[in-house]
Amino acid sequence: MRKLLIVASTAAMMMASLISAWAAEITASITYIDVQARIIVIDHRAFHIPKSIKIGAFKVGDQVTVVYEIVNGQLKVVSIRVG
């Protein structure tokens, strides 16, 4: 029984690490930008922009492709490009 518990715990930890490393991509137009909060809205979803990305380079209406991860229930941008 103890071995089964150890195997199950190890499998759960491996799955959690895979889920946190998962990334997705979306291409759509920016409908809202909050520079202070570092948030852009695309397709009715709020994406949090890291400080490493210059949020001032984007404007409402720009067609962008965003690669993002879900971290603690928030959509965190990994990369973003116009076009």
Side-chain angles (χ1 to χ4, degrees), residues 57-79:
F58 305 101
K59 61 182 182 297
V60 172
D62 281 349
Q63 179 86 6
V64 294
T65 299
V66 175
V67 176
Y68 65 94
E69 295 177 335
I70 300 173
V71 179
N72 297 327
Q74 294 183 339
L75 305 175
K76 302 284 187 174
V77 173
V78 173
S79 68

Side-chain angles (χ1 to χ4, degrees), residues 19-38:
I19 291 170
S20 65
W22 178 80
E25 183 176 288
I26 184 172
T27 300
S29 295
I30 297 173
T31 56
Y32 177 78
I33 299 175
D34 184 335
V35 176
Q36 294 288 62
R38 302 195 59 77

